[in-house]
Amino acid sequence: MSSSIASARFSVLDRSRIRAGGTGAQALRDTVRLAREAERLGFHRFWVAEHHGVPGVAGSAPTVLAAAVAAATSGIRVGTGGVMLPNHRPLVVAEQFGVLESLFPGRVDMGLGRSVGFTDGVRRALGRDKDDAEEFADQLAELLGFFLGTSATGVHARPAEGLTVPPFVLAMGEGADVAARAGLPMVIGDLRDRERMLRGIDRYRAGFRPSVWSPEPYVVVSGTVAVAGTPEAARRLLVPEAWAMAQARTRGSFPPLEPAGEIEARAMTAKERGFYEAGLDGQLAGTEEQVADALESLLKETGAQEVLVTTSTHDREALLDSYRRLARVVGTRQADGPA
């Protein structure tokens, strides 16, 4: 094992992807089962995501799902990747995480993003519009103020006030600058656009201001990592998500995951094929040896302290096998740094 891999943390983000022929309830239960396996394998943290009105994703209420994950596990850190702060009032988010931290002390992370609903209809249903994302920095400051007891509103968030729930910023676009100014750990993806990722990391480190939350920059890189017995088998793990992304780009709807064999046999339009192939390229996929080399290069390039793995596929057993192989590659040794 390389020194870069040995000194890094490795964690899991699951988006509760619905599989073709399955239900949202099954997807949520699969997330909880995956969390138990991630804990058994020694991964550092397990996060869940927020999506609204998406046919292929069941994870719409991340703090509720995080509570279920925390209740089903005993030691792994649990959190959100993330709560989309523009969709919520900061007071309510503080209260929710205060409850989580009170029930599961010392195990809860608060990953926060600046995205709003994916479609106009979802944004209307949430009572939000695209411009609300521009208020993210102010909302973040208000949220953190509820934990510190310094809110300008004069309101005391119970039971959040006085509790320490580590905040992370999901750095999409302006997120890197917000994370740096607030002095918070940053989560950045995706692995396919390495140059853009490196620019974001450099900007974050250059602008970082130490805070009560983090004395120095802490970078988490996120993306797909697929490990199998052969390169071909690893690549097939990527097929269902790549096809779902192609459908989202060409038809405006992100569908449930379909079996790789059915997708590979499907006739695609030129536009679909282009998006599909793009979804397969640039991911970290291969045998254990190949993925070890790719992770070593990634960590040396970025200087990241942690990798957050976000792999989704239709074949659940193959997904579990991928995480087991990844655990062997990285040794799931936990390093020093933010909780």
Side-chain angles (χ1 to χ4, degrees):
M1 186 189 305
S2 75
S3 59
S4 297
I5 291 175
S7 62
R9 285 173 166 153
F10 290 85
S11 300
V12 177
L13 166 67
D14 190 65
R15 289 178 295 145
S16 304
R17 293 288 275 113
I18 300 170
R19 293 169 172 83
T23 66
Q26 289 172 329
L28 294 170
R29 293 188 183 103
D30 283 345
T31 291
V32 174
R33 285 192 286 266
L34 180 58
R36 291 197 193 104
E37 182 67 3
E39 179 173 67
R40 188 188 71 79
L41 292 170
F43 287 99
H44 182 58
R45 57 181 113 242
F46 188 94
W47 282 5
V48 296
E50 175 181 342
H51 296 274
H52 298 285
V54 180
V57 181
S60 57
T63 54
V64 176
L65 184 53
V69 167
T73 55
S74 60
I76 193 170
R77 296 196 64 85
V78 176
T80 56
V83 165
M84 297 298 119
L85 196 50
N87 292 338
H88 309 279
R89 296 303 307 165
L91 173 62
V92 175
V93 175
E95 291 170 338
Q96 290 174 343
F97 279 97
V99 169
L100 281 171
E101 176 64 20
S102 297
L103 292 172
F104 308 100
R107 294 181 57 202
V108 176
D109 300 322
M110 184 169 58
L112 305 162
R114 67 188 293 273
S115 297
V116 292
F118 181 65
T119 66
D120 290 338
V122 168
R123 287 190 288 271
R124 285 194 298 272
L126 291 169
R128 299 291 184 265
D129 60 43
K130 289 182 179 180
D131 293 339
D132 287 320
E134 303 306 316
E135 306 300 320
F136 177 63
D138 291 339
Q139 290 179 312
L140 179 63
E142 182 179 347
L143 170 62
L144 298 180
F146 284 122
F147 285 93
L148 298 172
T150 59
S151 172
T153 66
V155 173
H156 297 277
R158 309 294 186 196
E161 188 172 307
L163 297 180
T164 300
V165 181
F168 295 73
V169 171
L170 275 63
M172 299 299 176
E174 298 302 315
D177 296 325
V178 173
R181 289 194 298 268
L184 300 182
M186 177 185 73
V187 184
I188 189 166
D190 69 48
L191 303 180
R192 293 174 299 171
D193 193 342
R194 199 66 59 86
E195 289 187 8
R196 182 185 178 194
M197 175 185 284
L198 291 172
R199 287 196 302 271
I201 291 172
D202 289 344
R203 193 165 68 246
Y204 166 69
R205 290 194 175 115
F208 186 86
R209 302 173 184 173
S211 72
V212 298
W213 304 102
S214 185
E216 57 189 22
Y218 187 86
V219 175
V220 183
V221 292
S222 67
T224 295
V225 182
V227 196
T230 66
E232 295 75 20
R235 182 178 171 85
R236 293 194 85 218
L237 285 169
L238 308 177
V239 166
E241 188 75 8
W243 174 244
M245 288 299 298
Q247 292 290 281
R249 295 292 186 88
T250 57
R251 302 188 183 186
S253 181
F254 198 65
L257 296 171
E258 298 179 34
E262 293 182 12
I263 295 166
E264 290 170 330
R266 179 177 282 112
M268 301 181 190
T269 67
K271 192 172 184 180
E272 288 174 336
R273 176 68 64 180
F275 284 123
Y276 169 69
E277 294 290 349
L280 295 173
D281 291 339
Q283 309 282 15
L284 268 62
T287 64
E288 292 175 34
E289 183 177 331
Q290 289 171 326
V291 168
D293 289 343
L295 284 172
E296 183 177 2
S297 296
L298 172 69
L299 290 166
K300 286 182 176 178
E301 229 181 329
T302 62
Q305 289 96 329
E306 186 169 342
V307 178
L308 181 67
V309 182
T310 63
T311 310
S312 298
T313 195
H314 180 273
D315 187 335
R316 187 169 182 273
E317 286 306 313
L319 179 64
L320 292 174
D321 180 67
S322 176
Y323 276 116
R324 290 167 189 146
R325 290 174 181 272
L326 177 61
R328 288 201 295 267
V329 168
V330 304
T332 52
R333 177 186 180 276
Q334 306 312 329
D336 294 329

